[in-house]
Amino acid sequence: MCFFYNKKLVRPSFMIRGTIMTTNQLMFMYAVEEMSFSKAAQKAFVTQQCLSNHIHRLEVSCGVKLFERTPHLQLTEAGKTLYQSFIQIRDIEEGTLQKLKTDTSSIHGTIRFGTHLNRARIFLIDPFLEFHEKYPDVELDVYFIHSAYTEKVLDEGTADVILGANCTALANTRADRIGEEDIVFLASPDLLKERIPDWDESRKTLTRKELSMIPLTASSNISIMAQNLHRTMLKAGFESKYIFKIEDNNAQMAICKSGKAAMFCPENQLIKADLSCHSEISSSAKLQVLKLENYSDFMSIDLITSAQRNLPTYVTDFCSMIRTYYQDQIQKVRAEYLPWSNNQYYSEITLH
């Protein structure tokens, strides 16, 4: 006998409106989501023995073992296969329900979107406002994740789409490269003149020797950009001096505007950016956007999805809106700040 607590059953995050599952299957999905029978039972408002009995019956009906209980709870290969099948069923159902509706305003669903906090601020707000006008009942759930976990979260269905940098398409993923960016250098006029006495504000480049004279703010060394730059400076015989390290680009920009340090950043950080900065010389001073001489390092921007899943149309629509917004804004950045730019990537892809 199975005893349910006198509470409303909470729908797991993987379920959608209208999904039909047996109780055995539902308890299995709770267990996978929590990877703990006790936590899964609490979430489903049943006893742990009740949940365990349902999973046992599912194992018997499938003729396979779904979980290894020791040394800790984990899915067997058969369990992983069953879980992936349920995720695919969810995707097919979401897509089918959407196709049955001609009015997008009546479509319900959720987009599970993974990215870095800094990219979320730049890439998601304006596209989401456009998307929300078309799909008012589709929710956007954003998860902040590291690119190293891309394949895992896509396979598990934790995320439908990941917006990453310098991503490589893995066996079970699709990579849609929406752009490639220059790495640029930002510094206040006061800092440049303080550290480089003969500095000319009309210059657009910086030598490596001059760079070694300037204190920097940056993200931690796990950043691909930071690692590449560090190797370049060491190869040239110079050491960069970092005085403030933090993952938040807004904090880096604030330090840069104060005139205490300079920073490297990808082009996307200049999208709708306010470059006004503190200056003892001018009340209208702005950060200078420069390029490091003889340094060529591009960063790709990629939208990653699972190659094994059929995503609803509203997910692909949102990705298309992100692509269009991003490429339009990068063109504006290039026109305003990067006169030296010879990256033809955007002019080529916008023709298609």
Side-chain angles (χ1 to χ4, degrees), residues 16-17 19 86-102 104 107-110 112 135 138 160 309-316:
I16 63 168
R17 188 173 306 184
T19 297
F86 287 150
I87 292 295
Q88 290 173 12
I89 290 170
R90 179 198 67 187
D91 293 340
I92 292 170
E93 183 174 358
E94 285 183 339
T96 302
L97 290 175
Q98 183 178 347
K99 288 176 182 178
L100 294 174
K101 299 176 180 179
T102 56
T104 58
I107 293 173
H108 296 76
T110 300
R112 291 156 286 271
Y135 299 97
V138 175
D160 300 313
R309 296 175 56 193
N310 296 312
L311 296 174
T313 303
Y314 58 77
V315 177
T316 56

Side-chain angles (χ1 to χ4, degrees), residues 110-144:
T110 300
I111 300 176
R112 291 156 286 271
F113 199 98
T115 191
H116 191 281
L117 173 61
N118 293 325
R119 281 188 285 276
R121 290 176 178 148
I122 295 167
F123 288 82
L124 298 187
I125 307 302
D126 285 4
F128 174 72
L129 295 178
E130 177 189 356
F131 177 82
H132 186 64
E133 288 294 319
K134 186 175 181 180
Y135 299 97
D137 289 323
V138 175
E139 177 185 349
L140 178 64
D141 283 352
V142 180
Y143 302 86
F144 300 132

Side-chain angles (χ1 to χ4, degrees), residues 185 211 214-218 229 240-244 261-264:
F185 183 78
L211 176 61
I214 300 174
L216 300 175
T217 177
L229 180 62
S240 299
K241 182 183 179 182
Y242 294 99
I243 65 169
F244 187 77
M263 65 182 286
F264 281 92

Side-chain angles (χ1 to χ4, degrees), residues 121-123 125-127 129 250 253 257 267-276 325-326 328-330 332-333 336-337:
R121 290 176 178 148
I122 295 167
F123 288 82
I125 307 302
D126 285 4
L129 295 178
N250 284 354
M253 187 72 79
K257 288 182 176 185
E267 292 177 53
N268 68 68
Q269 296 296 321
L270 302 180
I271 292 176
K272 296 186 176 181
D274 176 13
L275 298 187
S276 58
Y325 170 78
Y326 167 66
D328 177 63
Q329 292 299 317
I330 284 293
K332 293 177 181 178
V333 165
E336 184 172 359
Y337 299 116

Side-chain angles (χ1 to χ4, degrees), residues 14 22 30 44 68 78 94 96 114 130 144 150 162 192 207 235 245 264 268 275 287 331 350:
F14 55 81
T22 67
Y30 272 119
E68 294 290 353
E94 285 183 339
T96 302
E130 177 189 356
F144 300 132
T150 295
I162 292 176
L192 291 168
T207 68
K235 189 175 180 180
K245 289 185 177 182
F264 281 92
N268 68 68
L275 298 187
L287 296 177
Q331 291 284 21
T350 51

